[in-house]
Amino acid sequence: MFKGVLFDLDGVITDTAEYHYQAWKKLGAEIGVTIDRHFNEQLKGVSREDSLARLLAHGGVEANFSETEKAELAARKNEYYVEMIQNVTPQDIYPGITELLTALKQAGIKCSLASASKNGPFLLKKMELFDTFDAIADPAKVAHGKPAPDIFILAAKEVGLDPAECIGIEDARAGIEAIIKSGAQPVGVGKPEVLGDTIPLVSSTEFLTFDYLTQIWTK
Ligand code: BG6
Ligand code: MG
């Protein structure tokens, strides 16, 4: 039986993946880079700085900005994003997530956050989930962002576990890659076209029940 569940946040616990997209789209429009939802899949799960690098490369405008200007662009995107998440409430938690967290707690299974977002603690507080999590891995403390496994390894460590004892839940391709490399068992929320067809997938978080996790646990 697994002893911990390592949760991504944006796109797994709530719909903030959409706000990240809207904020990048707004910033892109200001610097002449157009992005669409297809391109956005490449930004999901990826750190703020890496996302900016990908956006600039996508527009072929990397050379137009100094490091200082890039830092300003990343900060500006975050301002847009932070403005958008001010009104997040517990009502915004995706279907089934609260029930899953309750069931895991009752079963004595640790819940740890493995989000790349520096806004994770703020969002958990807004959704009144901050105390439900046993740990929040700090993305500022890891050397490499997703698709590297670092944040999942840290999230497991923070609750005293090895990733091999845990299930990781992700909506992003980079995140699934990170879970697999960490040694945790992946579950994807999304479509096989995006996440591949080699791991268990649910089309919606409402199917992420405790029973489902016990069924897909293969160790
Ligand atoms: C991830 C998101 O969870 O966090 C990415 O999927 C985002 O889209 C990354 O870029 C970093 O988030 P933040 O809030 O620190 O800019
Ligand atoms: Mg995500």
Side-chain angles (χ1 to χ4, degrees), residues 132-148:
T132 309
F133 276 81
D134 297 292
I136 299 173
D138 182 354
K141 286 194 186 144
V142 299
H144 306 288
K146 300 170 188 177

Side-chain angles (χ1 to χ4, degrees), residues 4-8 110-115 133-139 142 146 149-163 166-168 182:
V5 179
L6 316 174
F7 285 85
D8 175 45
K110 300 283 185 204
C111 297
S112 189
L113 195 75
S115 170
F133 276 81
D134 297 292
I136 299 173
D138 182 354
V142 299
K146 300 170 188 177
D150 305 27
I151 194 85
F152 285 98
I153 295 169
L154 180 62
K157 194 176 163 204
E158 295 279 12
V159 289
L161 297 174
D162 188 279
C166 301
I167 287 176
S182 78

Side-chain angles (χ1 to χ4, degrees), residues 1-2 5 7 94-104 107 109 167 169 187-189 200-217:
M1 182 66 166
F2 55 95
V5 179
F7 285 85
Y94 269 158
I97 294 293
T98 305
E99 293 80 354
L100 175 62
L101 290 166
T102 305
L104 291 169
I109 291 161
I167 287 176
I169 308 180
V187 175
V189 180
L201 293 182
V202 291
S203 57
S204 156
T205 53
E206 72 193 274
F207 305 116
L208 281 175
T209 61
F210 182 64
D211 274 358
Y212 175 76
L213 295 188
T214 53
Q215 278 164 33
I216 58 100
W217 180 252

